Each structure stands twice: as structure tokens, then as C-alpha cells.
Amino acid sequence: MVILQKNELQTDVVIIGAGVAGCIAALALCDSYQVTLIDKSEVPDERIGECLAPAAGRILQQLELLTEFEHQLATTALTPQHLYNAGLQISWGQSTPYITDNLSNPDGLGWRLDRQVFESFLREKALQRGVRCIWPAKLVHSEYQRQCWQITLTQLQHEKTINIASQFVIDATGREAHFAKNYTPRKQHDRLISCWATLDNTVENQLGSICASQNGWWYSAPLPNQRRVLAFQTDPDLLIKDLHRDAKVFTQHAQCYDNQARILDVCQQPITLHGIVSANSTRLVYFAGQQWAALGDAALSFDPISSQGIFNAMASAMQLADLMKKLDIVNKIEHDSQLQFKKLYQQQIEQVWHRYLDHKRYFYDQEQRWPNSPFWQRRQQPNSVYG
């Protein structure tokens, strides 16, 4: 990390948010522009969401990261930092579970990540490739003036104000969209939340699992370091009292379903509750504006049933970087160039959003066992806010 000597900086591109989306964008742009990457956390946060689609390997290869990433999966390592994704056991639309896998996928198996390790790896690569990195630092103000963005940060460790002048701003701050929300509204398409926990994993079966229930669905998957994630997805008004606060309540509820019961019976270890996180489908009205753009969850956030959150973050970052370089939008700030960029990027992300909605509706329509359940009704009614 650069040790700042002055509180005023100039850069071509500021990226706010050093998660997967922000780091991939930085790595894709740093060969063409001076990039400054900002994050409020000194180290990546622990979070749910570890599934990386097989197609992500092509992005890692393009950025010359795949070989080093695969070293973290070496089978000879006592504790590999990531795992190959063996597949899912699914109880959805029927009580008898069935298995899906990636054995015939030309891109391979995909991965189950240690998210903190993966994001730390991407941060390290950004630093090595000359990206100026500032963290922990919080965005406190942004203003467009004199044909560039004036960004004001507070460097949290030293309570120091940093002012940055940047030709272009990328919002990669996740669902909160801390920058973009000041310049465009955000639409909420459902209210899904996820109540999640982790526990020791001693189960021989290394498949993940998805299990539908009357008021939501359960998800479980192995993690590196002999851990497992267990999560329940539902709507806030349907959440069982204290499920996210009381490990006993969480365990009792999970044991009502065969897959989860087997996991808990074998492990015989206390679970660690991590509370509730948003898991709903949301989007910005506009994905780009005057010399700014949003990507990843800041632009679109997906229901975890899609298993596409991390891949979308990576793919949208590459898509944005390619378009920025093709149009040289950082240097061409005249009205016509900006208008062309906004139109093309809006079209690209709109296409992703509508494909996602079609797939989401199709998947939820497969579950017809609880026709009177509010949870399923909300996702199967075309005009519902939950649709």
C-alpha cells in the first residue's frame, strides 16, 4: 500500500470498493490508466457467497492469474485455500433429491472459495501491478466539477482527509452503491434475506445442497479449512423468531430437513451464527452517468439461487474495462463520447438483468409443493414486487 505523503492526489480512474468486482476492474484497467483503488476495510470482510462458476477461469486466464490461483488448490497441500466444486444435491420441486454437477462443463468444475483469501489475493495482485491502493478509507463526498470528479475520503487509521481528482469513477461498493446512489435511484425487486452460520465440516459427502421448504430454502456447502456454510433464505416477515440470534433455534429448524440434519448430526459441534445479510434482487435505474459507472452488486445484485454473484462481478468488470478502453472514455470527456458510452453500457447490463430475471422466475416456478405459501406465491406472481 502506498504511504501517502500528501492529502491531494490525481488519477485517471478511481475505483471505490476493493472486493472482487473492484479488484478485477483495477487489474483490467491498470495497463492503460493510472488506477486508484479504495476500500473501507483494511482486510476483506468474511462473507457468505463462495461459489465461483467454471467460466470465471477464462477471466483469470485473461488477467494472467489462473496459474497462481490454481496453486492455491494444490491437492498436495494439507489445507488448500479453495476447493473444487463437486456439485449440488438438490431437493427442489420434489422431495427426492437429485444431483447436478459440472463434470461435462468444458470450463471444468468451478470452485468453492475462501472469499477472504481470494479477495486478498486479488488485492495483492493489484498492488504488484502498480495500482495505487488506499485502505482503510471511507468515501465522504463526491462532486463533479471542472470536467472531473472531486472525491473526498477519510483515511480511517489516521482520521486524515484525502482529496482525489479523477477523470472517471467506478462504484464497486456492493449492494449499498455508496457512490452511485447519489446519482441514480435503486429498485428493489424482492426482499430476500439470508441467515447464515458456519460449522466444522466432518461430512465425507463434499456436495453442496439446496433444499426448498415452505417459507424459504436452505443452502449448505463445504468450505476450505474443514468448514461448512449453512444458510436459510427467506423474507423478513417470514423469519422464525430468533433464528439469526439463537444457535439452538437455528439448529432445531435446520434439523427438520434431511440434508441439514445429517450434517449437524455428524458434526456434533457448535455452530457460529453470522446474522442476517441482504440476498435480494436489486438494480440501479442507470448503470452509468457523467464519467462514472457501477459494476457488480453495485449495479445488479442477484438472488443467491443463481450462484452467479461472483462471476457477474468479474464479468461485468471485464465488460466495463473493455468498453472504457475501446472508447477511451477516460480521455474523451466530450458530450457525444459520454453519451455513447452510457448508452452501450446501459444496454449491456440491461441484457444481463433481463436474462437473470427469466432464469430466476423459471427456477422458482419449478417449486409447486406449497401453493398457499406467501414466500413462493410472491416469486410466482408476475406483477408482484417480489417477481
Side-chain angles (χ1 to χ4, degrees):
M1 179 168 51
V2 171
I3 305 299
L4 298 170
Q5 303 298 323
K6 299 180 180 179
N7 66 348
E8 292 187 359
L9 300 171
Q10 287 190 338
T11 192
D12 293 328
V13 180
V14 159
I15 302 174
I16 308 171
V20 173
C23 285
I24 294 294
L27 290 162
L29 288 167
C30 66
D31 62 345
S32 301
Y33 303 108
Q34 182 182 54
V35 177
T36 299
L37 182 60
I38 299 162
D39 199 271
K40 61 181 175 57
S41 300
E42 187 171 12
V43 297
D45 297 328
E46 184 178 15
R47 67 185 77 190
I48 191 173
E50 76 297 328
C51 186
L52 185 59
R58 283 182 261 166
I59 295 175
L60 294 174
Q61 179 68 48
Q62 187 176 344
L63 294 172
E64 299 181 350
L65 298 173
L66 184 59
T67 299
E68 190 167 350
F69 171 72
E70 288 183 330
H71 285 165
Q72 299 175 337
L73 293 110
T75 56
T76 56
L78 294 176
T79 55
Q81 293 173 307
H82 310 297
L83 304 173
Y84 287 109
N85 185 355
L88 282 170
Q89 187 174 20
I90 301 176
S91 299
W92 190 287
Q94 60 186 55
S95 57
T96 303
Y98 58 96
I99 292 174
T100 64
D101 58 50
N102 291 314
L103 292 177
S104 60
N105 192 313
D107 288 311
L109 293 175
W111 304 272
R112 298 200 183 279
L113 303 175
D114 182 318
R115 277 289 293 274
Q116 284 182 311
V117 169
F118 185 59
E119 292 183 15
S120 295
F121 166 69
L122 295 178
R123 285 190 180 197
E124 180 185 352
K125 296 298 109 181
L127 279 164
Q128 290 176 2
R129 297 185 187 182
V131 175
R132 176 193 287 129
C133 298
I134 305 173
W135 48 65
K138 181 180 179 181
L139 174 69
V140 294
H141 183 69
S142 60
E143 183 178 1
Y144 185 73
Q145 58 181 2
R146 296 191 298 276
Q147 296 187 317
C148 72
W149 282 98
Q150 304 294 324
I151 303 296
T152 304
L153 311 173
T154 297
Q155 195 172 23
L156 299 178
Q157 287 179 328
H158 309 293
E159 297 184 358
K160 179 181 178 182
T161 298
I162 304 168
N163 297 310
I164 303 177
S166 180
Q167 291 296 109
F168 200 91
V169 176
I170 296 175
D171 187 339
T173 58
R175 294 168 182 268
E176 296 84 2
H178 290 299
F179 174 88
K181 69 181 180 183
N182 297 308
Y183 307 104
T184 183
R186 192 172 191 89
K187 288 185 176 181
Q188 178 174 272
H189 284 253
D190 61 67
R191 300 190 181 102
L192 190 72
I193 57 173
S194 180
C195 176
W196 69 293
T198 51
L199 64 158
D200 288 342
N201 185 34
T202 56
V203 181
E204 290 186 10
N205 184 350
Q206 292 300 296
L207 293 173
S209 68
I210 293 176
C211 177
S213 71
Q214 183 172 354
N215 290 315
W217 53 276
W218 285 91
Y219 169 74
S220 177
L223 300 173
N225 300 315
Q226 299 299 309
R227 299 287 288 169
R228 179 174 281 267
V229 62
L230 183 59
F232 183 61
Q233 285 63 227
T234 188
D235 292 329
D237 60 322
L238 305 177
L239 183 68
I240 293 173
K241 184 179 179 182
D242 292 331
L243 187 76
H244 60 298
R245 296 192 185 97
D246 190 321
K248 184 177 180 181
V249 173
F250 186 92
T251 301
Q252 288 175 342
H253 189 52
Q255 285 176 327
C256 294
Y257 305 93
D258 289 345
N259 283 341
Q260 283 66 247
R262 283 193 290 271
I263 292 166
L264 292 165
D265 288 345
V266 171
C267 292
Q268 293 291 313
Q269 296 291 329
I271 66 171
T272 301
L273 285 174
H274 297 276
I276 291 173
V277 293
S278 295
N280 55 341
S281 305
T282 65
R283 57 160 291 173
L284 298 176
V285 173
Y286 299 108
F287 306 119
Q290 181 64 44
Q291 293 168 241
W292 69 265
L295 61 82
D297 282 352
L300 307 175
S301 64
F302 292 167
D303 185 314
I305 200 68
S306 71
S307 296
Q308 291 294 311
I310 302 179
F311 177 72
N312 176 63
M314 297 173 69
S316 65
M318 296 298 289
Q319 203 171 33
L320 174 59
D322 287 346
L323 187 60
M324 288 174 64
K325 289 192 282 190
K326 179 180 178 180
L327 300 178
D328 194 19
I329 199 66
V330 172
N331 296 316
K332 295 180 180 178
I333 62 175
E334 63 270 16
H335 176 74
D336 289 347
S337 296
Q338 292 292 320
L339 195 62
Q340 182 186 19
F341 167 76
K342 287 186 284 186
K343 180 181 178 180
L344 291 174
Y345 189 62
Q346 186 76 20
Q347 289 174 344
Q348 288 178 350
I349 307 304
E350 287 282 2
Q351 289 174 358
V352 173
W353 175 249
H354 289 294
R355 284 198 300 268
Y356 158 71
L357 289 182
D358 289 344
H359 294 159
K360 173 172 171 270
R361 175 65 56 77
Y362 173 81
F363 203 75
Y364 275 107
D365 280 350
Q366 304 312 300
E367 183 53 85
Q368 298 290 332
R369 285 179 289 172
W370 299 283
N372 298 319
S373 162
F375 179 85
W376 298 100
Q377 285 180 342
R378 290 164 179 172
R379 285 153 179 84
Q380 294 164 1
Q381 295 174 358
N383 296 321
S384 170
V385 68
Y386 291 83

